[in-house]
Amino acid sequence: MSTTRSFIDGKVVSMSSTLVETISINYEDFSESFLTCSTCLCTYDGCEHTPKLLPCSHTVCLQCLTRILASATRNDEIPSSFRCPICRESINVPRGGVSALPPSFIVNQLLDLMATQRREVIPKCGLHSSQELLFCETCDTVFCVRCTEGLHGGGSDHTVIPFAVAIKRMSEILLYRANECIGKLRDADTVVSQEIRNLEQSREDVAESIERIFNEIYILIDRKKEEVLTSLNRIKDEKKEVLENQLSQIHAERSKVERDCEGLQYQMEVRNITMKINDLKSRIDGISALLEPKENSFLSYEEDDLSSTLNEVNNTLDGIVKIRTSKTHPSACIVEMDDCHLHVEVSASLVTCDINGKQCCAGGDPVSAHVQHESGSVVKCNVIDNNNGTYEIRFRPKICGEHALSVRIFGRHVKNSPMSFICDGKIPLKSVYGSKGTNMHQLSQPVDVVADNNGFVYVLDTGNDRIHKLNYDLKREEIITNDCLIGRSSTGICINESDNLLVVNWRSKFVTELTSVGEKLSSFTCTAFEEPVAVACSSRGQILIADTGRGSVFVFDNGKLVKKIGGNGQFNLLAGVTCGPNREVICADSRLQVFSQNGDFLREIYTEGKGKGRYGGIALDPHGHLLATRIERSRSFVQVFEFKTGVLLFQIECEEAKFRRPAGIAYVPDGCLVAVDLGNECLKRFRYF
């Protein structure tokens, strides 16, 4: 019996398998041993040779018991006992005689069983009728021992069994495989039939969407048609109103002239007639203006390049409605993923293929992904379509242990889904830069590090009076030198809002601005400085200087001191300073303390670590995480906090390359952090997000 555990649809399922050994029994041997009376050697039956069970547990047929009892009779007196013919034990004769002895139920059951089973035909050799044929499983050959003269199967590497057993075994295997095929075909029938139903339903859904879209287009066209016709009617009505007004004026003038001319034929006064003539003459000049319509009847529509317009409409409609399908065959698609580490985003790659195994080159498939821990908790994941037939499945595990990734297309699993994987608790060390020395790739007393958004990391190599400019993979680009770095006393470095470097020197007490290639731009100092060791820059350009000698943080604006935080025993050996998302001031000594931009104390982070060690450097990433290096008595490590809540998310101790006095730390915009290991005089890069 063997047991295996596997994930199905994100659930752990136990499956058992059993190996069954079968034995072939010779019919004659079985009948002779169990179905034959050992006294008369006759086969048991339900008549004369009825099997009777004696108290001694032996079975003898009724005829033999009757004969034994008859031979023991003297003077017609039936004896009260007789001896078992097999074990010679004395058997008492029951009141009804030997026929009253109980039947042997086991033998009767075996008789019934054998009666229902057909006797197997033992294949015999055609030349040797008494010789049973044999089968060699190794050679897949039927043979007769006498025909081959015992030569076949003489070696130990041949497996030989009776041909009858082989036929029976192969028949059973054939039947099993046939049933298995039928079962799979039945499942295939169910799956394909369901897919046909899904296809019909998809067609209905798409057709409904197309109907809805075109109905909206029809409504829009009808609305536009109504708008154009309404505009046409409005213009017509405006023109008609002008013409009708003109026509009314014409009618009024005509009526007036007709009234004035009435009775003139009876007028005898010449003066009156002359006045009327002059009046009509003056009216004719005014009436002449009414001869031309004040408005025209012109109405038309623009038909400039109608065919081009119709083509544009057709192309627009083509863009609105596209029937999209897919040749993707889920069981031919494969999902692959790299090692999984706690809290680090994992990217699994899905490559889609058609039924012939050819990679698809277009996206748009309905890909779904599900990630589940063995405890049942679900990990949120995101599917990204690369629009080239590949997809990325990204998720971030929060618990160590076994997980299952299920990937489906069209609701069907891809080839290797669900796949199980283990998430370990390690934060991977990606690369290391430097070793102790003065050569170009070596470091001496490195204390701080910063990264810009242009692909570069800057390491303050204090002991060698220089800055190493590296790329994000910690490959050296160039070495930066400047007079402000001389004296082995530069202890802090940061990037300002102009992407220039700010370096603080505790011995000279100057803060110097350098370009990314080391050119000096400006510098300033302050009489309040005693031992400035760390520098940070806010989003508004204010410069923060942590002074461990003064136990204070000084805030400068355009080189002028504008604020001082601490100074009254608030800090103990200040080691680092940085700015929060809302211009908070975050300070590190043996604790992590947060102050408002006005210098008011807000809260303390990781209070349980108070008095157990001290911090070396701090930085804030754009995801709201506070990164800090910490040194305690027996170990050194990096801590990652959720800044908003102050909750410690996890620690990085790097078992394969232990920290010794970690110092400065910085976020690299590729999801990594870099931390200076002062004790080992190197820079370490971790993928932590």
Side-chain angles (χ1 to χ4, degrees), residues 399-601:
I399 310 175
C400 294
E402 191 171 4
H403 292 69
L405 169 61
S406 299
V407 180
R408 290 182 174 91
I409 306 176
F410 318 127
R412 307 202 303 267
H413 283 286
V414 300
K415 185 175 182 179
N416 55 339
S417 171
M419 64 181 299
S420 60
F421 60 92
I422 302 295
C423 173
D424 60 37
K426 298 179 180 179
I427 303 299
L429 175 64
K430 303 297 289 185
S431 55
V432 177
Y433 174 81
S435 61
K436 183 177 182 180
T438 59
N439 292 335
M440 298 300 288
H441 289 86
Q442 292 183 310
L443 301 170
S444 176
Q445 296 180 354
V447 292
D448 206 0
V449 63
V450 69
D452 63 17
N453 292 317
N454 302 315
F456 299 108
V457 175
Y458 303 87
V459 186
L460 192 56
D461 186 6
T462 302
N464 290 321
D465 297 333
R466 61 191 181 184
I467 297 173
H468 291 248
K469 184 178 181 180
L470 317 173
N471 62 22
Y472 285 169
D473 293 326
L474 302 191
K475 304 297 182 182
R476 185 175 62 85
E477 297 287 334
E478 61 178 301
I479 296 294
I480 298 174
T481 58
N482 191 277
D483 291 343
C484 69
L485 303 172
I486 296 175
R488 298 182 180 181
S489 51
S490 298
T491 54
I493 187 172
C494 74
I495 300 284
N496 66 10
E497 75 281 2
S498 302
D499 283 337
N500 293 321
L501 301 175
L502 292 177
V503 180
V504 61
N505 188 308
W506 72 267
R507 194 185 303 275
S508 67
K509 300 178 178 57
F510 268 89
V511 179
T512 306
E513 182 180 8
L514 304 175
T515 66
S516 60
V517 294
E519 296 177 357
K520 182 177 178 180
L521 298 176
S522 63
S523 65
F524 71 90
T525 186
C526 180
T527 56
F529 285 162
E530 182 175 329
E531 191 178 344
V533 294
V535 59
C537 189
S538 72
S539 58
R540 296 184 60 182
Q542 290 185 326
I543 299 174
L544 286 67
I545 304 295
D547 191 316
T548 189
R550 293 289 186 184
S552 304
V553 173
F554 297 99
V555 181
F556 294 86
D557 198 344
N558 294 323
K560 296 182 179 180
L561 180 63
V562 295
K563 193 182 289 86
K564 173 185 173 184
I565 300 175
N568 299 316
Q570 184 75 40
F571 304 112
N572 179 23
L573 296 177
L574 263 173
V577 64
T578 191
C579 295
N582 297 314
R583 298 170 58 194
E584 301 98 331
V585 178
I586 310 168
C587 306
D589 51 7
S590 61
R591 303 158 294 170
L592 295 174
Q593 299 182 71
V594 183
F595 297 84
S596 70
Q597 58 181 320
N598 297 321
D600 300 324
F601 176 78

Side-chain angles (χ1 to χ4, degrees), residues 327-347:
K327 295 293 184 181
T328 301
H329 193 63
S331 61
C333 305
I334 297 177
V335 60
E336 297 178 341
M337 61 176 290
D338 297 328
D339 294 338
C340 181
H341 303 286
L342 192 64
H343 301 294
V344 178
E345 185 178 66
V346 180
S347 180

